[in-house]
Amino acid sequence: IIGSYRVLESIAEGGFGSTYKGEHILTKDPVCIKHCSMVSPAHDAILIQEMKSIWDLRHYAMPVMRDLQRLEDGSLALIMSYIPGFTLEQIVEKAGKIEPETTAWITERILNALLYLHHHGVIHGDIKPQNIIIQPKTHSVVLVDFGLAMVRPGSSDKSIGYTPVFASPEQIDGKALLPASDYYSLGMLMVY
């Protein structure tokens, strides 16, 4: 139990922590819980920045941030909307190469989400197959994991991490992210 939420099952493990499917105890509505098991001001700051990056933003291609809970051990858990579907990585692993028409509609929806994010000063910073959830029946795409996102980065800001194959040159060099950084990563995603 984390605050008003019950953990139901593990979704994924990452370098930063674990992600779980959960539910609100009273309403039984599904949620996603991202738990950073490491307790430090630096790790807290990353999770808080992830929450703040899209806290007031609402778009069909992004999860909704719901809550941030401090656990008894001092760690933080971020509560957000649960997005059903499979990641692009899971789909490619199962089905193999994606047809060009499918790649086109996935890319168009990601471009729409990036336009919205960039208009609000947010650079996602981690466009990769594991962070794209596909909902084929509704032709929907959702960007998840805003852990490397930057809000209105200035020239003195530094990127806090990256995924090598999909990262833009400026991100690899540790420089501030630009909207073009996300577009570079999207191009690499299309090649994938």
Side-chain angles (χ1 to χ4, degrees):
I1 303 291
I2 297 174
S4 298
Y5 307 93
R6 175 179 293 114
V7 174
L8 298 177
E9 63 187 73
S10 177
I11 296 174
E13 296 282 332
F16 186 75
S18 303
T19 306
Y20 303 94
K21 181 178 180 183
E23 69 180 5
H24 190 278
I25 292 172
L26 298 177
T27 67
K28 306 297 185 209
D29 290 324
V31 295
C32 178
I33 302 168
K34 185 174 185 177
H35 176 237
C36 177
S37 57
M38 296 168 268
V39 180
S40 76
H43 288 95
D44 285 0
I46 291 169
L47 203 58
I48 290 168
Q49 177 61 30
E50 178 174 359
M51 179 197 68
K52 289 174 68 174
S53 70
I54 61 169
W55 182 260
D56 285 328
L57 303 184
R58 300 292 180 264
H59 191 278
Y60 69 86
M62 300 179 335
V64 174
M65 298 296 165
R66 304 227 184 259
D67 201 356
L68 186 64
Q69 294 279 326
R70 174 105 31 216
L71 281 62
E72 289 181 13
D73 66 359
S75 64
L76 287 176
L78 177 59
I79 316 297
M80 61 195 103
S81 54
Y82 174 75
I83 310 296
F86 295 100
T87 67
L88 186 57
E89 179 184 54
Q90 291 168 328
I91 291 169
V92 169
E93 283 178 355
K94 183 177 179 181
K97 181 180 174 184
I98 294 178
E99 293 299 317
E101 294 81 12
T102 301
T103 300
W105 72 254
I106 290 170
T107 302
E108 184 273 331
R109 280 151 181 82
I110 295 171
L111 281 169
N112 184 284
L114 292 177
L115 179 66
Y116 178 82
L117 283 172
H118 297 163
H119 175 76
H120 288 89
V122 179
I123 312 298
H124 185 278
D126 203 16
I127 305 291
K128 62 183 180 182
Q130 300 92 325
N131 291 343
I132 309 291
I133 296 179
I134 309 294
Q135 299 170 320
K137 290 183 181 177
T138 59
H139 276 76
S140 296
V141 174
V142 181
L143 297 176
V144 297
D145 194 351
F146 285 74
L148 298 181
M150 297 181 89
V151 181
R152 293 178 185 80
S155 59
S156 63
D157 291 322
K158 306 246 185 264
S159 171
I160 60 170
Y162 61 89
T163 303
V165 174
F166 300 94
S168 65
E170 62 274 7
Q171 194 169 13
I172 292 170
D173 290 342
K175 297 178 181 171
L177 298 178
L178 306 164
S181 306
D182 281 344
Y183 297 131
Y184 180 95
S185 297
L186 179 57
M188 295 304 293
L189 182 75
M190 291 173 68
V191 171
Y192 169 86

XYZ file of all heavy atoms in Angstrom, residues 59 109-122 183:
139
model
N -2.755 15.839 -22.581
C -2.705 15.478 -23.989
C -2.947 13.974 -24.078
O -2.498 13.222 -23.207
C -1.336 15.844 -24.573
C -1.254 15.752 -26.056
N -1.046 14.557 -26.709
C -1.358 16.698 -27.012
C -1.015 14.777 -28.018
N -1.197 16.072 -28.222
N 1.617 10.654 -34.791
C 1.067 10.892 -33.453
C 2.155 11.336 -32.470
O 1.912 12.170 -31.602
C 0.325 9.661 -32.971
C -1.075 9.609 -33.590
C -1.583 8.198 -33.751
N -2.897 8.157 -34.371
C -3.112 8.228 -35.686
N -2.116 8.386 -36.519
N -4.342 8.149 -36.173
N 3.358 10.801 -32.599
C 4.458 11.254 -31.752
C 4.802 12.703 -32.078
O 5.037 13.517 -31.176
C 5.693 10.343 -31.892
C 5.374 8.938 -31.373
C 6.886 10.920 -31.135
C 6.451 7.905 -31.668
N 4.817 13.052 -33.366
C 5.080 14.444 -33.762
C 4.055 15.397 -33.154
O 4.405 16.472 -32.675
C 5.074 14.582 -35.286
C 6.331 14.127 -36.002
C 6.083 14.054 -37.508
C 7.496 15.039 -35.689
N 2.785 14.983 -33.132
C 1.736 15.806 -32.538
C 2.005 16.018 -31.053
O 1.892 17.137 -30.538
C 0.369 15.151 -32.763
C -0.762 15.985 -32.262
O -1.003 16.051 -31.057
N -1.468 16.627 -33.169
N 2.390 14.958 -30.356
C 2.689 15.060 -28.921
C 3.909 15.952 -28.687
O 3.912 16.779 -27.767
C 2.933 13.669 -28.339
N 4.940 15.801 -29.525
C 6.137 16.624 -29.362
C 5.844 18.093 -29.622
O 6.366 18.967 -28.922
C 7.262 16.124 -30.266
C 7.855 14.756 -29.905
C 8.909 14.345 -30.922
C 8.412 14.750 -28.489
N 5.009 18.383 -30.604
C 4.617 19.769 -30.874
C 3.959 20.373 -29.633
O 4.278 21.492 -29.225
C 3.671 19.833 -32.073
C 3.165 21.211 -32.451
C 4.299 22.100 -32.940
C 2.085 21.106 -33.526
N 3.055 19.628 -29.006
C 2.386 20.084 -27.785
C 3.401 20.293 -26.652
O 3.406 21.332 -25.989
C 1.319 19.062 -27.377
C 0.593 19.415 -26.099
C -0.465 20.315 -26.111
C 0.972 18.852 -24.888
C -1.129 20.645 -24.933
C 0.314 19.173 -23.714
C -0.733 20.072 -23.745
O -1.386 20.401 -22.588
N 4.271 19.304 -26.438
C 5.273 19.413 -25.372
C 6.188 20.608 -25.594
O 6.421 21.407 -24.681
C 6.115 18.140 -25.299
C 5.488 16.926 -24.648
C 6.381 15.714 -24.837
C 5.235 17.169 -23.170
N 6.714 20.727 -26.795
C 7.670 21.799 -27.090
C 7.006 23.174 -26.976
O 7.638 24.133 -26.523
C 8.285 21.603 -28.477
C 9.084 20.335 -28.577
N 9.438 19.782 -29.789
C 9.602 19.501 -27.626
C 10.133 18.677 -29.574
N 10.240 18.488 -28.266
N 5.728 23.258 -27.343
C 4.994 24.518 -27.180
C 4.959 24.937 -25.708
O 4.969 26.125 -25.385
C 3.570 24.382 -27.737
C 2.725 25.577 -27.505
N 2.853 26.742 -28.241
C 1.744 25.823 -26.593
C 1.990 27.645 -27.802
N 1.308 27.103 -26.807
N 4.929 23.951 -24.820
C 4.896 24.221 -23.377
C 6.297 24.201 -22.753
O 6.436 24.167 -21.528
C 3.974 23.225 -22.676
C 2.528 23.485 -22.958
N 1.868 22.939 -24.035
C 1.633 24.285 -22.336
C 0.632 23.363 -24.047
N 0.450 24.184 -23.035
N 7.335 24.190 -23.587
C 8.699 24.290 -23.086
C 9.298 23.002 -22.566
O 10.337 23.023 -21.911
N 8.664 21.860 -22.848
C 9.146 20.577 -22.331
C 9.832 19.795 -23.452
O 9.256 19.614 -24.526
C 7.982 19.738 -21.745
C 8.495 18.390 -21.245
C 7.276 20.499 -20.634
N 13.451 15.418 -32.024
C 13.231 15.059 -33.429
C 14.329 14.126 -33.932
O 14.064 13.210 -34.709
C 13.117 16.309 -34.301
C 11.922 17.156 -33.934
C 12.053 18.524 -33.724
C 10.661 16.593 -33.770
C 10.965 19.297 -33.373
C 9.567 17.356 -33.411
C 9.721 18.708 -33.218
O 8.639 19.471 -32.871
